[in-house]
Amino acid sequence: MIAAVAATMASVSMADISITGDAYIAYADNGISDVNTKNAKRVNINFKGKSGATTVIASARGDDQDVDTRTSKLSLHQFYITTKVGPVDIKAGDFYGTVGLGAFSKSESNTDALMLSTKIGPAKVGVYTHDSKDTTGSTNIFASTKVAGTTVKLQHNAHSTKGWTNLMAKGTFNGISVAAENHDSKEGKDVTLIHVGGKVAGVNWDIAQLKNDKTATGFASAKNNSKLAPLGSMLIGTGARGGTTTAAANVGHFSKILGLAVKTKLAGNTVKAIFTKNTLFANAVASTVEDKVTGMELILTRPLSGGMLTANLGKISGANTDNKALNSTNKGLRFDVKF
């Protein structure tokens, strides 16, 4: 019996298996709904198994975003395999994908997806396809390389009516990080993003500008891109960080976002302030005209008991009568932990 137990323990110890995850619990007053206070929590568990050059990843998640839709169930939201056949890297299954820097599409869940890639000299080239229920053209080819320290990536979808071309570049020059993206769509859903950042005297600064074509708004199409939070905003991006309960809008609601963020350390805390000048689309939140609005945020984070505590206070101001629900002070408290 001792020999059998020892053999079993040896086989378990040799197995290349890991479990990681993250979770949060949040309390927020988003100032918009009839019942302003909103509580939310989420746990995400990733199981990874490895055998030789093949890795299997399964991710289970339990979301509790709304008291009326609590299910207390874990659901599998990712399941995929990565492996290598000769010079070709393969990723297949259900997994998330981002186009460029994420200005148009960030962390979208795709099913029955397949990505093949390989190196040709200094460049990485490949093809990515997935099940597309809305017939938007699910296959694109891509190529990326480094030029003088700058990463450049080109992605192209050749769909006859809904295809697009995305060009992204990012690099750091003399301590200044620069990232830019241009998304050109046959449907006219064009998006551009420029992000510049650096550090001066212990203060991190970032400037970003995002522009949406008037037909790119989430209210006029199925794609609303809720997971992009410019400058780390907690006012914009309802799906960012697994769900930001204080967010009042998504990037698809704006024809233009222009903002500045500054961040510094203070008494063991990280303090971040964000100021944005934005233009809401005319059809955002039932409005009939474009609104010039401002966003102001103060975000404080502090390591606490193995996790991260975040307190935030923010407000979008200047929305017209039809958009008055946005003219509210949003505040929240959130505790994140990774394991």
Side-chain angles (χ1 to χ4, degrees), residues 3-30:
V5 171
T8 302
M9 293 179 65
S11 65
V12 170
S13 65
M14 288 166 46
D16 194 349
I17 299 173
S18 64
I19 300 175
T20 60
D22 57 84
Y24 75 79
I25 185 166
Y27 304 93
D29 183 346
N30 61 21

Side-chain angles (χ1 to χ4, degrees), residues 141-158:
I141 56 175
F142 61 87
S144 64
T145 189
K146 279 197 172 184
V147 180
T150 302
T151 299
V152 180
K153 184 174 184 180
L154 177 68
Q155 293 173 261
H156 178 67
N157 184 310

Side-chain angles (χ1 to χ4, degrees), residues 36 74 81 92 117 131 143 173 195 217 243 285:
N36 292 340
L74 285 175
I81 295 173
S117 63
D131 179 39
F173 311 93
H195 190 154
T217 171
V285 196

Side-chain angles (χ1 to χ4, degrees), residues 59-80:
S59 298
R61 183 175 64 202
D63 288 292
D64 186 358
Q65 299 288 338
D66 192 321
V67 67
D68 296 324
T69 58
R70 290 177 176 171
T71 61
S72 301
K73 294 180 180 179
L74 285 175
S75 60
L76 199 65
H77 65 104
Q78 281 196 113
F79 178 72
Y80 62 93

Side-chain angles (χ1 to χ4, degrees), residues 80-120:
Y80 62 93
I81 295 173
T82 64
T83 190
K84 193 176 183 71
V85 178
V88 179
D89 292 309
I90 302 173
K91 184 176 182 180
D94 302 341
F95 53 89
Y96 294 93
T98 294
V99 176
L101 297 173
F104 180 72
S105 175
K106 181 177 174 65
S107 296
E108 284 199 26
S109 177
N110 295 316
T111 58
D112 299 328
L114 174 66
M115 183 166 63
L116 307 175
S117 63
T118 190
K119 294 276 287 186
I120 300 179

Side-chain angles (χ1 to χ4, degrees), residues 230-234 260-262 272-276 295-299:
L231 300 170
S233 172
M234 295 188 78
L260 166 68
V262 291
K272 185 174 189 177
I274 305 173
F275 176 77
T276 58
M296 298 186 69
E297 299 178 64
L298 184 64
I299 303 172

